[in-house]
């Protein structure tokens, strides 16, 4: 039987009775395990147009986490981690690959002040991730949080957990700048991966990654089994994202947001390109990321209020999902401008 896969826009959460009088009664905290604790279940993606020191500091200061990307030399990554860890943040991550100098980077990251490391590769359900997790555990010991990904299936999640990961990035090919599914034919609709992975019996946290477009999608991911979400496009194009602010001939300002497997990104970080599984794009400049994060947080709190949930565990247990039709989706979006009067 061919399985059906649901994506964010295919679903809605059914509103529930609520006795929450104020959104301030809602607790968004999550213990990700092994020393990583968040009061806002959001992480910024380890991409070179999303997370360097400024973004990481802002994310951590808002209760989320920031992961310094690995598309640089070890010395450059060290400086970025050092600049963020000086400010005393408690949820700073450092991204790692699974070959070359990744063990040296892990050692450096912990020494300079990273609170956790994140194996960040396109296909995480892979023998090289298994080997890297084994080596990282030996290097970092049992009491250091190791995140790894990306995977798209329950088997992938369980294997990474058994291999030593405390949390796993779930999602293949759903990101705003991803072309993996077109290029390779592989992937699973983002929300479906979360729904499948939520059936795990392992002690592992799920991070929904890729394709999250708004706070509604964040609430859906958290309701259906994610412990936290990772965002790229939602946070790019801000003052704290790396890269210059550019202006077009109409006076609109924008920044580059690009997939790390795009031609442009690959040429910049390794001087050549191989398989192209991402694109480079321009997104409107939106000012300080604090405003963006605060808007998202307000939306998430409101979402929990509609579910009658005071915390993320209640959201997960109370949530009732339904699928919607294409007409339902059209009705869900603002549609006044399309109406013929
Ligand atoms: P959003 O939708 O939040 O997605 O912008 C961010 C996530 O996309 C992943 N990523 C990629 N996936 N090709 C891919 O298929 C790429 O070039 C690429 N770059 C980033 C990554 O998981 C990130 O968190």
């Amino acid at each position: 039987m061919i399985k059906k896969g649901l994506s964010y826009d295919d679903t809605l959460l059914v509103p529930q009775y609520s006795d929450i009088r104020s959104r301030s009664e809602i607790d968004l905290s999550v213990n990700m395990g092994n020393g990583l604790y968040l009061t806002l279940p959001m992480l910024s993606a380890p991409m070179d147009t999303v997370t360097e020191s400024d973004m990481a500091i802002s994310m951590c200061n808002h209760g989320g986490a920031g992961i310094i990307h690995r598309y640089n030399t070890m010395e450059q990554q060290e400086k970025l981690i050092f600049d963020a860890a000086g400010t005393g943040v408690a949820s700073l991550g450092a991204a790692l690959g699974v070959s070359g100098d990744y063990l040296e980077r892990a050692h450096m990251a912990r020494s300079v002040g990273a609170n956790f490391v994140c194996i960040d590769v396109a296909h995480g359900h892979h023998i090289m991730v298994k080997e890297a997790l084994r080596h990282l555990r030996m290097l970092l010991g049992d009491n250091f949080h190791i995140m790894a990904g990306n995977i798209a299936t329950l088997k992938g999640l369980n294997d990474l957990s058994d291999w030593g990961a405390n949390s796993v990035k779930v999602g293949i090919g759903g990101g705003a700048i991803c072309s993996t599914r077109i290029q390779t034919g592989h992937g699973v609709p983002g929300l479906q991966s979360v729904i499948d992975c939520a059936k795990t019996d392992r002690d592992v946290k799920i991070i929904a990654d890729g394709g999250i477009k708004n706070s509604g999608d964040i609430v859906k991911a958290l309701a259906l089994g994610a412990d936290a979400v990772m965002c790229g496009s939602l946070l790019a194009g801000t003052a704290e994202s790396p890269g210059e602010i550019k202006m077009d001939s109409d006076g609109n300002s924008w920044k580059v947001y690009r997939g790390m497997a795009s031609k442009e990104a690959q040429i910049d970080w390794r001087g050549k390109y191989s398989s192209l599984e991402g694109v480079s794009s321009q997104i409107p400049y939106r000012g300080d990321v604090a405003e963006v994060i605060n808007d998202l947080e307000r939306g998430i709190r409101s979402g929990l209020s509609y579910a009658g949930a005071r915390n993320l565990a209640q959201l997960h247990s109370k949530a009732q999902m339904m699928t919607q039709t294409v007409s339902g989706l059209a009705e869900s979006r603002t549609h006044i401008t399309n109406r013929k009067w």
Side-chain angles (χ1 to χ4, degrees), residues 2-298:
I2 295 184
K3 190 176 161 176
K4 250 193 181 171
L6 294 174
S7 200
Y8 292 96
D9 283 349
D10 295 322
T11 65
L12 279 173
L13 295 166
V14 182
Q16 308 288 321
Y17 169 73
S18 179
D19 62 359
I20 295 162
R21 294 171 194 274
S22 157
R23 291 184 198 104
S24 62
E25 292 171 34
I26 291 166
D27 174 10
L28 294 179
S29 64
V30 56
N31 186 348
M32 299 294 288
N34 229 0
L36 181 60
Y37 182 81
L38 309 178
T39 53
L40 179 68
M42 269 181 67
L43 298 93
S44 62
M47 300 168 70
D48 73 352
T49 50
V50 181
T51 314
E52 292 188 341
S53 314
D54 290 346
M55 179 64 75
I57 292 167
S58 269
M59 288 302 295
C60 295
N61 286 341
H62 281 84
I67 307 177
I68 304 286
H69 71 87
R70 65 182 178 86
Y71 301 98
N72 41 28
T73 63
M74 192 163 103
E75 290 68 32
Q76 288 164 338
Q77 193 183 27
E78 178 171 8
K79 178 163 179 2
L80 296 172
I81 298 169
F82 179 83
D83 287 348
T87 64
V89 292
S91 48
L92 175 67
L96 304 172
V98 289
S99 60
D101 61 2
Y102 76 98
L103 287 173
E104 288 92 322
R105 284 186 187 235
H107 184 263
M108 169 278 288
R110 186 174 58 174
S111 319
V112 176
N115 308 106
F116 68 100
V117 293
C118 171
I119 297 182
D120 176 43
V121 296
H123 183 21
H125 198 188
H126 196 283
I127 189 169
M128 289 173 81
V129 171
K130 181 180 184 174
E131 291 163 357
L133 276 166
R134 193 175 68 235
H135 290 128
L136 284 168
R137 266 290 161 236
M138 283 195 286
L139 177 77
L140 300 171
D142 288 338
N143 300 323
F144 197 79
H145 189 103
I146 303 181
M147 187 176 288
N150 282 35
I151 57 87
T153 62
L154 177 60
K155 174 86 174 114
L157 179 85
N158 286 343
D159 279 352
L160 265 61
S161 169
D162 294 346
W163 300 340
N166 300 113
S167 60
V168 173
K169 299 203 297 145
V170 172
I172 300 270
I177 36 51
C178 299
S179 56
T180 297
R181 294 183 192 167
I182 304 300
Q183 206 55 23
T184 70
H186 280 71
V188 174
L191 192 63
Q192 188 66 48
S193 282
V194 171
I195 294 168
D196 293 346
C197 286
K199 299 188 179 111
T200 189
D201 55 2
R202 308 299 204 272
D203 180 17
V204 62
K205 298 297 180 195
I206 294 171
I207 299 160
D209 179 22
I212 291 175
K213 308 175 292 303
N214 46 49
S215 50
D217 288 348
I218 297 178
V219 177
K220 290 176 187 178
L222 296 172
L224 295 178
D227 297 283
V229 298
M230 175 165 280
C231 301
S233 52
L234 274 181
L235 301 167
T238 56
E240 288 76 4
S241 64
E244 283 169 44
I245 303 171
K246 306 196 179 173
M247 184 105 57
D248 67 18
S249 50
D250 296 328
N252 303 310
S253 40
W254 53 274
K255 277 189 157 189
V256 169
Y257 175 51
R258 64 190 188 181
M260 295 317 307
S262 66
K263 187 177 184 176
E264 294 80 353
Q266 291 191 52
I267 287 177
D268 274 358
W269 72 273
R270 58 177 176 175
K272 59 181 184 177
Y273 65 92
S274 55
S275 178
L276 296 179
E277 295 181 18
V279 297
S280 179
S281 169
Q282 303 178 353
I283 60 172
Y285 177 66
R286 290 170 298 148
D288 290 351
V289 78
E291 291 300 316
V292 174
I293 300 172
N294 289 337
D295 277 349
L296 291 171
E297 180 169 353
R298 279 191 283 268

Side-chain angles (χ1 to χ4, degrees), residues 9-12 220 322-335:
D9 283 349
D10 295 322
T11 65
L12 279 173
K220 290 176 187 178
M322 69 189 302
T323 55
Q324 65 177 339
T325 60
V326 172
S327 319
L329 176 61
E331 185 185 80
S332 298
R333 293 180 168 144
T334 48
H335 45 269

